[in-house]
Amino acid sequence: MKAWLLDQPGLEHLHIGEVERPTPGAGELLIKVEAVALNPVDYKVGTNGNPNWSYPHILGVDLVGEVVEVGSSLANIITGSRVAVHTSLGNNGGFAEYAVVDARACAVVPPEVSDDAAAAILCAGMTAYEAIMQKLNTRDKETILVHAGAGGVGGYAIQLAKKLGLKVFTTASPDNFDWVTSLGADVAIDYNVEDVTEKIMELTDGRGVDLILNTVGSDVATADLDRLAFSGQLAYIAGPPDMSNMKGFTLSPSIHEVALGAAHASENERAIRNLAYMAEELMKLLETGELNDLVTDVLPFERLKDGLEQLQTRKVRGKLIVRMRD
């Protein structure tokens, strides 16, 4: 089969090549890949590598396609089914014509949902879903700050938070203000020139926000502690806050790590099946038109590496999709 092969760590070593088509084992499915979503984690692990990989390695954590072979001891998904799945970083991924995946993590794609949309909501949408719907306690909360609202995780988080009736503040560049507003953000803050903490305090009359989803990094997560209301909650995906200088028994915050890929690494049955559940819930929202799929560009297979390089600029709006076939 044709695949994008990584010969060693570093995207400069990524190229199209031919490898043997894999065979599914017990509890696995062989998928004929139709579409993949590109995510920051793809270029990050492609750059840094993984000590558990053998090379050449196939990247790609999000894929949609048709089940063409079922491993033993399975009855819930049959050949011919169209499925979407967020795969394990430890295994070969979806940047290929065929991929073997864990059946427990697979969600059947409804007929009304396109391959592109189903791929788009996986890593980014499920990360937002886990943070907003499963980690943060949103009951009786009023406000949330979503960082990087123009990105994939941020864009889905804005929409989910708005569905829950929260007032949504987000950080973005001015070029993306209209975009994040269209997704449901009430206030967009230009993080390039505005002091985000001062702006949040001004907008909340000095109280701070009830909830924060940090998609940026540890330094910004640390600064977020000054933006939280008393007993507020902070969920992070790119590094925890440094709480060493925070006086105890003052802010009383709750801190949540959101690590989607850790479900596979944990080998926890419930956590792996939760990946399928979250994908199913998001696809229901796509079916009813309650969720924008955020797809802003679709690339052919041959331009997959170009898409990863675009993501590295950190200026991509929404989601990039690659179709594996014309």
Side-chain angles (χ1 to χ4, degrees):
M1 68 176 183
K2 187 165 60 173
W4 278 94
L5 304 176
L6 187 71
D7 290 332
Q8 63 186 76
L11 290 187
E12 66 272 21
H13 302 294
L14 186 64
H15 64 93
I16 296 177
E18 293 280 341
V19 292
E20 186 176 349
R21 193 172 86 172
T23 301
E28 295 179 331
L29 305 173
L30 178 65
I31 308 298
K32 181 182 179 182
V33 182
E34 298 296 342
V36 298
L38 303 186
N39 298 285
V41 68
D42 295 317
Y43 74 74
K44 290 176 181 178
V45 297
T47 299
N48 299 323
N50 184 318
N52 297 319
W53 291 348
S54 58
Y55 292 92
H57 179 76
I58 301 172
L59 298 169
V61 293
D62 289 345
L63 65 95
V64 172
E66 178 188 348
V67 178
V68 294
E69 188 176 343
V70 177
S72 60
S73 304
L74 284 175
N76 58 327
I77 298 179
I78 61 174
T79 56
S81 300
R82 190 166 58 114
V83 298
V85 58
H86 177 73
T87 65
S88 171
L89 281 172
N91 301 331
N92 278 325
F95 294 171
E97 291 183 294
Y98 294 87
V100 165
V101 300
D102 187 331
R104 298 171 297 178
C106 290
V108 175
V109 181
E112 297 81 4
V113 177
S114 70
D115 292 340
D116 297 347
I121 57 93
L122 292 171
C123 184
M126 290 156 63
T127 297
Y129 189 96
E130 184 175 7
I132 302 296
M133 309 299 289
Q134 295 184 340
K135 292 278 188 173
L136 295 173
N137 175 13
T138 59
R139 184 178 179 181
D140 297 327
K141 304 303 186 296
E142 297 177 356
T143 55
I144 185 170
L145 169 62
V146 175
H147 284 282
V153 176
Y156 291 120
I158 288 172
Q159 296 180 79
L160 293 172
K162 202 61 187 174
K163 275 184 59 64
L164 295 175
L166 294 166
K167 183 172 184 177
V168 181
F169 306 105
T170 191
T171 58
S173 297
D175 289 346
N176 289 318
F177 278 9
D178 288 344
W179 169 257
V180 296
T181 301
S182 73
L183 297 176
D186 296 283
V187 179
I189 301 170
D190 183 358
Y191 65 95
N192 295 296
V193 298
E194 295 186 89
D195 184 309
V196 177
T197 303
E198 288 184 4
K199 191 68 177 178
I200 287 294
M201 288 303 171
E202 174 190 329
L203 293 167
T204 61
D205 297 323
R207 178 177 178 273
V209 288
D210 297 312
L211 311 167
I212 297 178
L213 174 55
N214 185 289
T215 63
V216 183
S218 293
D219 289 347
V220 178
T222 301
D224 281 335
L225 296 173
D226 293 327
R227 301 160 184 157
L228 276 178
F230 177 78
S231 197
Q233 302 171 65
L234 168 62
Y236 66 88
I237 69 172
D242 179 359
M243 301 179 65
S244 60
N245 293 323
M246 191 185 78
K247 186 177 180 180
F249 303 99
T250 54
L251 183 63
S252 188
S254 296
I255 310 297
H256 305 272
E257 178 185 72
V258 182
L260 198 65
H264 287 290
S266 72
E267 299 182 356
N268 181 284
E269 177 86 10
R270 184 173 181 179
I272 294 171
R273 293 191 181 279
N274 186 50
L275 297 174
Y277 169 79
M278 291 190 290
E280 289 166 355
E281 291 299 297
L282 288 164
M283 285 191 285
K284 288 177 185 177
L285 296 177
L286 290 175
E287 276 188 286
T288 57
E290 298 175 77
L291 190 71
N292 183 326
D293 60 33
L294 303 185
V295 175
T296 53
D297 201 3
V298 179
L299 305 174
F301 178 81
E302 291 74 18
R303 289 194 56 208
L304 185 148
K305 186 176 179 180
D306 295 339
L308 292 178
E309 291 171 347
Q310 287 181 49
L311 282 183
Q312 283 184 299
T313 68
R314 301 178 66 87
K315 295 181 180 180
V316 171
R317 176 190 294 175
K319 293 294 299 180
L320 296 182
I321 301 298
V322 172
R323 290 185 185 147
M324 307 309 285
R325 295 167 180 78
D326 291 337

